[in-house]
Amino acid sequence: MTFTLAIVGRPNVGKSTLFNRLVGKRLALVDDQPGVTRDLREGEARLGDLRFTVIDTAGLEEVTDDSLQGRMRRLTERAVAEADACLFVIDARMGVTPTDEVFADILRRANARVILAANKSEGRAGQAGVFEAYGLGLGEPVPLSAEHGEGMAELHAALMPIADAMAERRAVIADEAPVTDVDVIDGEDAPDWAPRPGRPLQVAVVGRPNAGKSTLINRILGEERLLTGPEAGITRDSISLSLDWDGVPVRLFDTAGMRKKAKVQDRLEKMSVADGLRAVKFAEVVVVLLDAAIPFETQDLRIADLAEREGRAVVVAVNKWDLEADKQGRLTQLREEFERLLPQLKGAPLVAVSARTGRGLDRLREAVVSAHAVWNRRVPTAALNRWLGEMVTAHPPPAPGGRRIKLRYATQAKTRPPGFVVMCSHPDRMPEAYKRYLVNGLRLDFDMPGTPIRLTLRGQGDRNPYKGRTKSTPSRLRKHLGKPPHKG
């Protein structure tokens, strides 16, 4: 049976470590300092024959105001209310604290299915805490060690009644890296890469801190699913969320804000940035979110260039557009800056949005779907070679050393992103300027704006038909050797 399990508890009791243990991957950031997890992170858990969705939550704090900790608590309480079961984790080495007692009472009222787990119970240091856990009134505690993998069999036994009681099955989609660099073979049908529930379109939203990434995703979802606020750097983990975006199955990745490398000194922030870079590799389309007040900062350009080098389709979105006065003039200026500062992404969609009001989200969806379609585009070999002949006629390749480079034919070798191979003489002498001329021609003539294009030049070797043959014996030597003269 499939069900949803929310892991809750005080900060630093080992919730994220247990989450990673259940999903079998290091998806959640783990550190010794409390309060690392802030958002809700979902994953596909496997425990024996059980398959279920597990949710890692922020540590419960005894605050109810609008502070960061208060918003984190409300988000956790919401996850508890929506989950099928709740796993309440305490620190067996510290024993039961007054805060544990408060939250145990809250969980009894909020969720009918609560399992008590005493983490860090390995060795004698945690035995006393396991016995104290009986006093919380949540039934028999499950002693376990998330770090060492102990107690998983006992946890499996505690979850089995919940799995058997579930009548509704829920589809769980695993986080998988997208298929890239797909070989193209003429004469074969192109694979269908249209998004569907089993393989959604994977979109990562990246940008500098406080650009509004989480707010934008909440607006797309239509609910306050991610933690937001005026503080910069709230998001730490890369959170993936599945939704149906106006008929298109999509998996959205919210990432931590990426500052300049020289400013990232804290170990936790380094882990967050690394997690964000990993999300870019998991995505098919990368939405680079800019702040309308300070767009195209150096870090924005680096992030966009990273997505292009990873071979992902790129969409540039300018957030906080509701604060702009001269919208038309400002948009024209941004397009000019975009073409000048990011020539490698020439023609990529530039969309103005407002995460606060929801303006421009329909155009953003269209841009994402269009960029994904271009990313998968295939060009017939015949059309490609006609194009190559026209390009050579318009601007012949250079002639280094007095011998002109000959471009013989071209073919598309890969998709996701599009990759082309041009057979030519002396590929090592072809200047970069002429390669850019060919790439820009591909973008313009085959309608592939913004997507990364890989162009490879290959030589055909020496086409001399006599290469490798031995020379014939001269006639004056044939007489000496007694061979008859050659007739012909």
Side-chain angles (χ1 to χ4, degrees):
M1 296 288 183
T2 301
F3 58 95
T4 304
L5 179 70
I7 303 176
V8 298
R10 291 185 296 104
N12 215 29
V13 295
K15 299 184 297 298
S16 294
T17 304
L18 179 59
F19 174 87
N20 288 340
R21 173 70 61 179
L22 292 175
V23 300
K25 305 175 184 177
R26 293 184 60 86
L27 295 181
L29 299 184
V30 177
D31 196 69
D32 291 336
Q33 69 181 83
V36 172
T37 303
R38 291 175 173 175
D39 280 301
L40 304 181
R41 172 184 281 278
E42 295 183 5
E44 180 188 7
R46 297 190 176 193
L47 188 60
D49 57 346
L50 293 180
R51 303 292 184 270
F52 54 95
T53 301
V54 62
I55 304 175
D56 186 23
T57 66
L60 289 166
E61 302 273 6
E62 288 189 273
V63 288
T64 57
D65 54 15
D66 289 331
S67 64
L68 178 60
Q69 289 74 18
R71 300 197 300 273
M72 291 162 58
R73 172 172 172 165
R74 287 196 294 272
L75 201 61
T76 300
E77 290 174 345
R78 177 181 172 182
V80 171
E82 295 179 353
D84 298 315
C86 176
L87 183 63
F88 182 43
V89 182
I90 68 168
D91 188 337
R93 295 186 179 182
M94 292 187 63
V96 176
T97 67
T99 305
D100 291 327
E101 295 176 351
V102 172
F103 292 137
D105 185 60
I106 294 174
L107 292 175
R108 276 196 300 269
R109 297 194 303 266
N111 198 301
R113 299 185 180 92
V114 179
I115 299 174
L116 178 61
N119 192 26
K120 307 179 185 179
S121 60
E122 68 275 13
R124 296 182 178 179
Q127 291 181 359
V130 174
F131 291 120
E132 287 183 25
Y134 281 92
L136 293 175
L138 294 176
E140 182 179 358
V142 178
L144 55 86
S145 172
E147 184 174 0
H148 299 96
E150 298 178 5
M152 294 298 108
E154 290 78 4
L155 181 59
H156 176 276
L159 292 175
M160 277 301 297
I162 298 174
D164 294 338
M166 291 293 100
E168 181 181 0
R169 295 177 179 270
R170 296 186 180 128
V172 180
I173 303 172
D175 282 350
E176 294 181 355
V179 179
T180 58
D181 294 324
V182 179
D183 292 333
V184 174
I185 302 177
D186 288 339
E188 293 189 358
D189 293 334
D192 181 19
W193 296 108
R196 56 179 182 267
R199 193 186 61 209
L201 171 57
Q202 303 196 116
V203 182
V205 182
V206 299
R208 290 182 289 110
N210 216 25
K213 299 180 292 296
S214 298
T215 306
L216 176 66
I217 294 179
N218 281 342
R219 177 63 63 176
I220 294 173
L221 293 170
E223 58 179 338
E224 294 297 320
R225 175 63 175 77
L226 298 173
L227 190 64
T228 61
E231 303 91 347
I234 290 180
T235 302
R236 286 174 173 171
D237 289 279
S238 293
I239 307 299
S240 64
L241 303 165
S242 298
L243 73 149
D244 185 282
W245 195 0
D246 294 337
V248 179
V250 174
R251 178 178 290 269
L252 281 173
F253 291 86
D254 183 27
T255 63
M258 301 179 188
R259 296 196 298 166
K260 294 181 180 179
K261 187 175 181 179
K263 294 184 178 181
V264 180
Q265 302 294 335
D266 182 66
R267 176 175 177 269
L268 184 56
E269 186 175 0
K270 290 180 180 179
M271 294 167 61
S272 299
V273 172
D275 207 29
L277 297 177
R278 174 178 171 272
V280 172
K281 297 179 180 180
F282 270 71
E284 296 170 309
V285 180
V286 176
V287 177
V288 181
L289 193 64
L290 311 180
D291 189 332
I294 45 174
F296 297 115
E297 292 284 304
T298 303
Q299 188 65 0
D300 294 325
L301 303 179
R302 288 174 177 169
I303 294 172
D305 183 66
L306 167 68
E308 192 275 338
R309 284 187 282 109
E310 288 292 335
R312 303 304 187 253
V314 178
V315 174
V316 178
V318 184
N319 191 24
K320 305 179 184 178
W321 198 244
D322 53 302
L323 304 178
E324 287 293 330
D326 182 15
K327 291 180 171 54
Q328 192 59 42
R330 182 60 170 161
L331 187 59
T332 302
Q333 179 186 358
L334 290 175
R335 292 188 188 280
E336 293 175 354
E337 292 182 7
F338 182 32
E339 296 289 339
R340 176 173 53 87
L341 296 173
L342 290 170
Q344 68 272 33
L345 293 173
K346 186 177 181 180
L350 178 66
V351 184
V353 299
S354 172
R356 188 176 66 87
T357 65
R359 179 179 178 181
L361 294 188
D362 53 343
R363 294 192 298 272
L364 178 61
R365 174 193 171 279
E366 293 174 0
V368 168
V369 173
S370 175
H372 182 256
V374 173
W375 196 58
N376 290 282
R377 181 157 299 167
R378 296 180 66 169
V379 180
T381 301
L384 196 59
N385 281 283
R386 286 195 299 270
W387 165 85
L388 181 62
E390 294 172 358
M391 294 291 287
V392 171
T393 301
H395 293 285
R403 301 183 64 181
R404 187 169 300 281
I405 299 176
K406 296 180 181 180
L407 304 183
R408 294 189 170 89
Y409 66 88
T411 184
Q412 184 173 1
K414 295 181 182 294
T415 60
R416 303 171 66 87
F420 301 89
V421 176
V422 177
M423 305 302 292
C424 65
S425 62
H426 309 293
D428 54 327
R429 298 184 181 180
M430 183 70 75
E432 290 296 326
Y434 200 82
K435 292 182 183 178
R436 288 194 299 269
Y437 164 69
L438 295 176
V439 170
N440 290 335
L442 287 168
R443 290 191 195 280
L444 181 63
D445 297 332
F446 294 106
D447 193 22
M448 293 189 289
T451 194
I453 293 179
R454 304 293 186 249
L455 180 66
T456 304
L457 300 180
R458 291 181 184 173
Q460 292 182 299
D462 193 340
R463 299 179 64 85
N464 183 0
Y466 298 101
K467 185 176 182 180
R469 295 188 183 182
T470 58
K471 293 183 179 181
S472 60
T473 307
S475 58
R476 63 179 181 272
L477 292 181
R478 282 200 294 267
K479 293 180 180 180
H480 177 74
L481 297 174
K483 294 182 179 180
H486 178 70
K487 295 182 180 181

